[in-house]
Amino acid sequence: MPLIVQLSDTHISRPGQLAYDRVDTSTFLRQAVTAVQRLPQRPDAVVITGDLVDHGQAEEYALLQELLAPIRDIPLFLLPGNHDDRDTLRHAFPAQPAWMASGYAQYSAPVGPMQLVVLDTVVPRRDQGALCPERLAWLDETLHQCQERPTLIAMHHPPFRTLIDGMDEIGLLEGAEALEAIVQRHPQVQGLISGHVHRHVQTLFGGTRAVIAPSTAHQVALDLAAGAPLAWTLEPPGILLHAFTPQGRLVTHQITTLSFAGPFPFQ
């Protein structure tokens, strides 16, 4: 039963720098790493679905490496978000699987009996995401090659509207419909995981589930009113644990990264 931990939107800044002058993203990531370490079973992989750092700077990626060091014995899979820089990320983490020859951060890797397929939705210097025909064609061919293995697709921008208007305006603005058609053609896809929205959200997509992870730090305020202004909160941060049953079915659990007492046996 493969276990995959998903972290997202860690937004690591330079040492001592706070996001929005208030959010200590490094401390929050330390809490997330501790939460991974206290899981009763060792995960088979950790996936971080983008916005790894806040400004795409080498110094930020160096701090990210340091913060992730306590779990470096677990296979780590990274992908960029709109706050990242592809080249700087690749230089900082050279052991990551090979990207597409064209430079997109897309790759496919086995995790036990299942397959992890990473999509690159980044549009450089833009907040919104896109999947161009080249990236989509690569996905279709890659899924064809692993059609006998339960598959999980990871990306930064979610492929569906969340009804949080401000985030949907900078969501996956190109390629979502074509992506859904590709997923529909490949029934081995058990789910799509993403970040960007800083909230745990899920829906049906292409005959399977699409799941957004919460941020390990600050969250986007939940306001579904049309045109509501974007805001952030310090709601409890979290991570997701994706488990595959022996039959290849995906089961997802949300986990708080905050400290808590227990477990205690039921009497």
Side-chain angles (χ1 to χ4, degrees), residues 15-258:
Q17 185 174 0
L18 302 179
Y20 308 109
D21 297 321
R22 187 169 177 181
V23 185
D24 186 350
T25 56
S26 293
T27 293
F28 279 119
L29 181 53
R30 288 189 185 94
Q31 292 176 345
V33 167
T34 298
V36 174
Q37 292 177 299
R38 71 178 176 228
L39 290 172
Q41 289 84 35
R42 178 184 181 275
D44 296 282
V46 172
V47 181
I48 309 183
T49 46
D51 282 358
L52 311 174
V53 302
D54 212 24
H55 302 97
Q57 298 173 351
E59 189 177 5
E60 296 173 326
Y61 288 114
L63 179 55
L64 177 66
Q65 288 177 311
E66 177 185 328
L67 294 168
L68 294 174
I71 54 172
R72 60 187 173 190
D73 61 316
I74 304 173
L76 176 66
F77 299 98
L78 304 177
L79 57 139
N82 48 289
H83 282 254
D84 291 299
D85 179 84
R86 289 191 189 107
D87 292 337
T88 310
L89 167 59
R90 193 171 192 174
H91 185 266
F93 291 88
Q96 286 293 287
W99 294 1
M100 290 174 63
S102 57
Y104 289 120
Q106 299 201 162
Y107 55 87
S108 178
V111 179
M114 57 80 59
Q115 197 75 13
L116 175 69
V117 177
V118 168
L119 280 181
D120 182 343
T121 60
V122 170
V123 179
R125 296 173 295 280
R126 295 289 186 272
D127 289 331
Q128 71 269 21
L131 286 171
C132 61
E134 180 185 6
R135 284 177 273 189
L136 289 166
W138 175 91
L139 173 66
D140 199 18
E141 175 59 25
T142 299
L143 292 177
H144 178 73
Q145 293 174 3
C146 62
Q147 56 187 324
E148 301 302 322
R149 296 169 63 84
T151 300
L152 187 66
I153 296 174
M155 55 203 298
H156 179 64
H157 296 83
F160 63 92
R161 291 186 61 83
T162 65
L163 306 182
I164 302 174
D165 281 354
M167 294 307 298
D168 290 338
E169 290 171 2
I170 56 171
L172 187 67
L173 302 188
E174 176 187 336
E177 185 174 339
L179 172 64
E180 186 164 21
I182 291 171
V183 171
Q184 191 80 52
R185 291 199 296 272
H186 296 279
Q188 84 270 22
V189 176
Q190 293 296 305
L192 299 91
I193 61 175
S194 61
H196 189 56
V197 178
H198 291 234
R199 294 204 70 84
H200 184 197
V201 189
Q202 54 185 300
T203 192
L204 291 175
F205 182 87
T208 188
R209 281 191 304 128
V211 181
I212 305 173
S215 169
T216 56
H218 52 292
Q219 311 304 312
V220 166
L222 179 59
D223 190 340
L224 305 186
L230 276 180
W232 59 273
T233 74
L234 287 175
E235 295 174 62
I239 60 178
L240 298 183
L241 178 65
H242 305 289
F244 282 81
T245 70
Q247 294 75 34
R249 178 172 294 181
L250 178 66
V251 179
T252 297
H253 296 263
Q254 181 172 357
I255 304 165
T256 181
T257 63
L258 300 181

